[in-house]
Amino acid sequence: MRVFITGGTGLIGSAVVTELLSAGHSVTALARSDASAAQAKAAGAEVLRGRLADLAVLRAGAERADGVIHLAFSNDFSSPEALARGVAEEAAALATLGDALVGTDRPLVTVAGTPYQPGRASTEDDALPTQGPVAGRSRSVTHALELASRGVRSSAVRLPRTVHNQGRGGFAGLLTDIARRTGVAGYPGDGAQRWPAVHARDAAVLFRLALEQAPAGSSWHAVADEGDTVRDIAAVIGRRLGLPVESVPQENFGTLGPIFATDQPASSARTRATLGWQPTHPSLLADLENLEP
């Protein structure tokens, strides 16, 4: 299959590109910089130069492909305004990719987050959030899934808040960055809130399975660890970095504070049973042992 991918040089995307190529697919990666283009070429992918905001380029890439995987996002959480701009940019991009595939029955695999459900682990059947700082991303994904009625084999891989590799990535990676900057491995509240996690290479397998097999309009959970407490995550970070571990005010985490403070375990039972996905790489707590001071 000829696959067009956005975000193909990030922590998750680079793993997806490797997985796709290993499975015999060919890959064209969107690249906005010389460095990204060089990385994609080194991995064995072809390159289409452009940014996520270049809608004509996205349309051309999708029209030439047998399937599309969308992973790109600005990841600018520096302010509510910056986050809103990133959400709007992604909405336009995903709408363009979907429109290019209407009537083709080709796959469009997009990315979402596992939803929050009070008092229990969320499942693949739970709806995405319609309120909060990233609710706009949920609306974009919902629109993409609705393209199933218009001849697009659309699906969504829902990622936990931490997708990791060699101790880097996701919310745990942000906790590590904040710890290095502040000198404290902090966590909001009592730290009992749980975060699900998955290794990037395991997530990459699920993106491939969704591309190859997922029915139109379906959602899947890339969850290996149902939920580690943030206090336990911070404890490993603190020990590896040689820093004190303690509760800090939610406000210390800026825009993401309310999300950091939320208990959000997630299950992948249906994903494993239906698509045969089985994570095999290290858990989050084990992978954090790769952190260096």
Side-chain angles (χ1 to χ4, degrees):
M1 190 181 297
R2 297 167 300 171
V3 184
F4 176 53
I5 184 170
T6 71
T9 57
L11 181 140
I12 303 168
S14 58
V16 173
V17 169
T18 298
E19 175 67 23
L20 292 172
L21 293 171
S22 297
H25 300 293
S26 64
V27 179
T28 298
L30 182 73
R32 65 178 181 179
S33 69
D34 291 342
S36 293
Q39 181 181 341
K41 289 178 181 178
E46 297 181 7
V47 170
L48 181 62
R49 291 299 298 265
R51 300 172 300 117
L52 195 60
D54 296 331
L55 301 184
V57 174
L58 296 184
R59 176 176 288 276
E63 288 176 343
R64 297 170 191 160
D66 299 316
V68 175
I69 295 178
H70 166 68
L71 287 169
F73 188 67
S74 69
N75 288 320
D76 185 349
F77 301 104
S78 60
S79 69
E81 293 77 18
L83 180 56
R85 285 193 297 271
V87 169
E89 179 182 68
E90 182 186 45
L94 190 51
T96 297
L97 293 170
D99 186 64
L101 297 179
V102 167
T104 67
D105 292 321
R106 295 174 184 170
L108 168 62
V109 184
T110 189
V111 63
T114 53
Y116 158 70
Q117 286 296 320
R120 65 170 175 84
S122 66
T123 73
E124 296 87 344
D125 294 322
D126 290 318
L128 294 174
T130 56
Q131 296 188 8
V134 294
R137 300 194 74 185
S138 299
R139 290 190 289 271
S140 297
V141 171
T142 299
H143 175 73
L145 295 178
E146 290 172 347
L147 292 174
S149 65
R150 300 179 62 198
V152 181
R153 187 164 61 82
S154 54
S155 63
V157 172
R158 296 174 173 181
L159 296 173
R161 298 301 189 266
T162 295
V163 182
H164 56 92
N165 192 351
Q166 292 297 303
R168 299 180 297 108
F171 275 13
L174 291 176
L175 283 186
T176 301
D177 293 342
I178 294 169
R180 292 186 190 277
R181 188 171 67 250
T182 64
V184 174
Y187 53 86
D190 64 4
Q193 62 271 36
R194 294 161 294 173
W195 291 354
V198 67
H199 195 285
R201 292 172 66 182
D202 285 323
V205 173
L206 183 54
F207 276 100
R208 175 181 60 79
L209 291 173
L211 179 83
E212 296 171 345
Q213 304 178 23
S218 58
S219 296
W220 310 96
H221 277 195
V223 174
D225 309 331
E226 186 168 298
D228 295 308
T229 69
V230 180
R231 184 173 55 242
D232 287 345
I233 295 169
V236 180
I237 294 170
R239 176 167 51 77
R240 294 299 302 167
L241 301 186
L243 298 174
V245 181
E246 59 190 57
S247 176
V248 299
Q250 178 179 311
E251 292 72 23
N252 286 23
F253 301 101
T255 304
L256 293 175
I259 303 175
F260 273 25
T262 302
D263 185 52
Q264 47 191 285
S267 166
S268 59
R270 182 161 65 83
T271 297
R272 298 181 193 223
T274 304
L275 295 184
W277 179 66
Q278 290 297 329
T280 60
H281 291 86
S283 68
L284 172 60
L285 296 182
D287 201 23
L288 286 172
E289 296 292 345
N290 289 297
L291 290 175
E292 296 292 340

